[in-house]
Amino acid sequence: MCGIFGIISNKSNLEVGKLIREGLERLEYRGYDSAGIAVVNNGAIELRKKSGRIADINKNGWLDSIPGQFGVGHTRWATHGKPVQHNAHPHLDCTGKIGIVHNGIVENYQDLRKELLLRGHDFKSDTDTEVFTHLIEEFIAKGFDLKDSVIQTVKKCRGAYGVVVIHADTPDYMIVARKESPLVLGIIPGESTYCASDIPAFLPLTREAIILDDDEVAILKPGEVEIYGVHEGKKKNISPFEVSYSIDAAQKSLDGVQFPWYMIKELHEVPQKIKEQVQIPQTDLDGFCKAIMDADHVFITAAGSSYYAALAGKFQITRCGGPYIDAVLCSEFVDLVPKLSKNSLVIAISQSGETADTIEAVRYARDKWNAKICSIVNVVGSSLTRYSDHVLITTAGPEIAVASQKAFCTQVTALSLIGLRIAELHNTISKNEVTMYKEALAATSKITQQILVEQGKIKEIAGKLMDFENVYFLARGISSAAALEGALKLKEVAYIHTEAYAAGESKHGPIALIEDGFPVIFVSPPDETYDRMIGNVMEMKSRGAVVYSIVSATDEKITSISDYTIRIPFLDSKYAIDTCVVPCAFVLQLMAYFISIKKGLDPDKPRNLAKSVTVK
Ligand code: M6R
């Protein structure tokens, strides 16, 4: 949550404000309720900040034209203090010489603020962040240099931080520090250094990157970085690595085609990303699979879409002969799992690898109960990867749209691959079945491609659903994961209230809401639940519901009792139907996108949300 972008360079005539604003725009998916920039300009700090989105704030080039040599910007997702101008970052100290941006939460800020107020500091915001500026101010006044003042300050602050600090009197460097909030550095050796919350922010400028670790502080000079441990104070020798993914990943164009929104561009990436996921070397999965099979109790945990991928995955792994897996929402993990038995294992799923709730669950299981951790993550080097014994990186590549879609599809695919590898290594299902499942999994790439080609029907149904305030999504078995994902997408990007639940539960309560015209979406592939789904469709129809069904291309029975259908060209085999979650969810993700744009909304940046949820 919150995006940080900073720059220091020895290049002459650099448009610092414009470069920072562009970097912030590439991070706007992390938060977009206010933004600002602070730069050092001839011994003083220039500050411009406002509430609203960056494009509006920068009308008439207000941010671009800020004069200065180097500086930092921030795009905010409010936690402490409303999204108004005085709470926007950067924040300054009482002297106006120190500027700071922060991503994370200072948990003991109330105590620190009280002490600082008693010592006469003037607070201009309601944020937790501002305590940093005044603490640094005090350490500078005591004679510490800027780096040591930052070190002393972060030692006093409990919680999570990615911070960048500039000082009007130190024109040749700035300081960054990190703990549990992401901060990455980009370098053009000898010329420029960038700091950001995520790599895509500086990808158009450089591919040389360093990922800062927890409890590290760094001095950034033009084209040069010095990294120190916060506690031991020792200088570390860390070399940059080359970022392998393409700049396209952070732009709205794909194969020369320009898309209006990241969400639709990223949905168009799904077929290729599934293909890449299926092709990862099988041996990459072996450590992961062995850990699962060696454990006495296996949990799977995640949040949001990643949790729905986890639900599909746990089912697939067990179906392939792996153990039964307990799925627990990461935000509930500590409360619902008061004890883990010896030799437990937790599989954690996360696109960002930075979700605070997921990290809390993993650290609790690992530190308190000695559990092993296996994670499936999309962002290389993210926090979750550091707390894991085995990591599987998904092939989705950078996902900019706040609503996850290609990450979900690759997560489900990766979990299916794990199930199949377990089956291969432990002979839990026949070799022939493994081959059939693998073919079916590989075919989901072509099926999603086909769905994109034939998207007309999805658009048409989007037009019919767009004006409803409530929609039910019903499914049984593994398809529930697709229904849950579809319901979440519609909520997020189209602001329609949705509920997804097991179709058999209707008669236990939810059917009370059904009256003439109430829309119900059934996810009904022809699997072992099909006949029971017919009964569920009928009980809805007979009470006046309008039924929309996701069915196979050759479906007849559910089609004949539905008002509208979207037909998916599954391969004609049990294995293809068992692998139906990705195609079904993909249809619903596309539908949510079309409804969002038909309603004139911004599908990339839904209100109140941010991509990477780094607060609990
Ligand atoms: O980065 P993560 O996968 O850990 O994020 C988990 C959820 O916050 C995320 O899936 C969220 O629900 C998305 N907005 C879904 O579209």
Side-chain angles (χ1 to χ4, degrees), residues 382-421:
S382 54
S383 300
L384 187 54
T385 64
R386 291 155 196 246
Y387 303 129
S388 304
D389 299 285
H390 299 279
V391 178
L392 177 57
I393 299 290
T394 43
T395 54
E399 192 180 62
I400 309 289
V402 166
S404 176
Q405 8 69 33
K406 60 175 176 162
F408 172 88
C409 295
T410 53
Q411 287 165 343
V412 176
T413 307
L415 284 157
S416 302
L417 286 171
I418 287 165
L420 290 172
R421 188 64 181 157

Side-chain angles (χ1 to χ4, degrees), residues 297 299 333-346 360-373:
H297 195 148
F299 294 90
F333 200 95
V334 172
D335 302 313
L336 289 183
V337 190
K339 184 171 187 256
L340 276 82
S341 52
K342 249 193 188 165
N343 199 22
S344 288
L345 175 124
V346 177
E360 183 186 46
V362 157
R363 293 187 74 171
Y364 163 77
R366 195 183 75 146
D367 300 345
K368 182 150 187 201
W369 300 105
N370 218 11
K372 287 244 166 355
I373 309 297

Side-chain angles (χ1 to χ4, degrees), residues 92-109:
L92 304 188
D93 71 318
C94 299
T95 68
K97 292 211 160 208
I98 302 165
I100 187 165
V101 297
H102 166 224
N103 171 20
I105 287 185
V106 184
E107 286 165 7
N108 55 336
Y109 85 101

